[in-house]
Amino acid sequence: MKRFEYARAGSPSDAVRRFRPGTMYLGGGTNLVDLMRLGVAEPDLLVDVSRLPLDVIEPVGDRLRVGAAVRNTDLAADPLVRTHYPMLARAVLAGASGQVRNMATVAGNLLQRTRCAYFQDVSRPCNKRRPGSGCPAIEGDHGNLAVLGASGACVATHPSDMAVALAALDAEVHVTGPGGDRIIPMPGLHRLPGEEPERDTVLEPGDLITAVELPASPPGASAYRKVRERASFAFALVSIAASLDVGSDGVVSDCRIALGSVAHVPWRAERAERLLIGGPATGAAFLEAAEAELDQARPLPRNAYKLPLARNLIVATLEELAP
């Protein structure tokens, strides 16, 4: 591991003031420290933000503000989250292990890096780690990589479960940085790889996430479902966060669908949502919407299995939510 300097921030503004080229913020460290051990991340300075007073969950009118330093375990156990945003609680509990959730923070979960094997192996080329070096995953081991929104420069996926639920909930990410304070909507925080796969998000150097704000909970029933190779401590093959509200006439009045582990971002299924809202809540309609969404997919030879998996997961989840 490369030698680095360490500083503990006294406030969000102090953290931003300390930022210089080569700096990284340290929260729970569950992903960053691993990457430092692998030689993928080599900061010159770590600014510890884990002790900042950003660990509060509080209602703001009909909204809920979650501090960036809230631990994943505390988020999933919070009574307001469990009551009003059950898909979020379930998504958090579906990620990692109890020990990791005890350390991991909300901001860190959003900003975790891909688990693509080529990104984590410093002996191999990777456009995300070393821009311009190539993406060997396209011809190599891509069985659990992107089928939507990928580019010729990168086919990595975003690994977060929590981020999928936040994308479905239209969460807002509060950020402070050298340019001042701003709010970034979800979807919108994460970006597709394009020709700059090294940029996972729209954050600028020095930007610090201070909170995530949830709007009023969506109407109807909601769920988070995750398909993975084993029952725990495994990243998704495909996941879904969804909510569905159906009127007494059987017509869909509101629908939210976000997919995980299919793209470089938590993928909001906007095409499927548009087809469903105002239409019947039937299995045939759910299938048509799922197929329309996945018509955009461009799978590689060894991850095409994700298309029927995602289609069936969308249909089964919506059928479960329908009255």
Side-chain angles (χ1 to χ4, degrees), residues 244-254 276-283 285-286 322-323:
L244 184 70
D245 190 39
V246 181
S248 57
D249 57 357
V251 174
V252 176
S253 58
D254 189 82
L276 287 169
I277 293 174
T282 63
F286 300 153

Side-chain angles (χ1 to χ4, degrees), residues 98-121:
Q99 295 91 333
V100 172
R101 292 193 296 269
N102 287 342
M103 287 296 297
T105 64
V106 167
N109 190 314
L110 281 175
L111 299 179
Q112 63 182 294
R113 307 301 303 275
T114 183
R115 295 320 196 274
C116 174
Y118 299 99
F119 172 71
Q120 294 188 318
D121 183 351

Side-chain angles (χ1 to χ4, degrees), residues 21 35 39 50 77 106 145 178 190 195 198 208 228 250 259-260 270 276-278 316:
L35 294 177
S50 64
V106 167
L145 298 183
H190 304 91
E195 296 304 314
E198 68 275 15
L208 176 69
R228 48 187 164 179
L259 301 175
E270 295 174 348
L276 287 169
I277 293 174

Side-chain angles (χ1 to χ4, degrees), residues 109 112-115 157-162 226 235-236 261 263:
N109 190 314
Q112 63 182 294
R113 307 301 303 275
T114 183
R115 295 320 196 274
T157 51
H158 194 273
S160 172
D161 293 286
M162 183 189 77
K226 179 177 182 178
F235 294 102
S261 202

